[in-house]
């Protein structure tokens, strides 16, 4: 079970790093918001889901 939590936390860290770099670059680039809006919303939803799933699974460990 701990291996699953470690994998989820690793994925959360990787996705957070990508979003921290990617979102400001997208917003600063002219015209990129319209092209990248859907992928940013999907990534933010995936990040939120990972946070919730990691919290739920970690509550089952002792």
């Amino acid at each position: 079970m701990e291996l699953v939590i470690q994998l989820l936390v690793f994925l959360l860290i990787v996705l957070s790093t990508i979003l921290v770099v990617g979102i400001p670059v997208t917003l600063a680039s002219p015209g990129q918001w319209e092209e990248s809006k859907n992928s940013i919303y999907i990534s933010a939803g995936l990040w939120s889901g990972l946070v919730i799933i990691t919290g739920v699974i970690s509550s089952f460990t002792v």
Side-chain angles (χ1 to χ4, degrees):
M1 187 62 107
E2 285 190 29
L3 183 64
V4 173
I5 294 172
Q6 289 176 356
L7 179 64
L8 287 171
V9 170
F10 176 74
L11 290 173
L12 190 60
I13 290 170
V14 168
L15 185 59
S16 297
T17 304
I18 291 170
L19 289 175
V20 162
V21 172
I23 290 176
V25 169
T26 301
L27 292 175
S29 302
Q32 288 295 318
W33 173 246
E34 290 81 17
E35 296 175 12
S36 304
K37 182 172 30 175
N38 289 334
S39 63
I40 288 176
Y41 286 146
I42 289 171
S43 300
L46 182 63
W47 184 88
S48 300
L50 275 173
V51 168
I52 293 170
I53 290 170
T54 303
V56 168
I57 290 178
S58 69
S59 69
F60 291 122
T61 61
V62 176

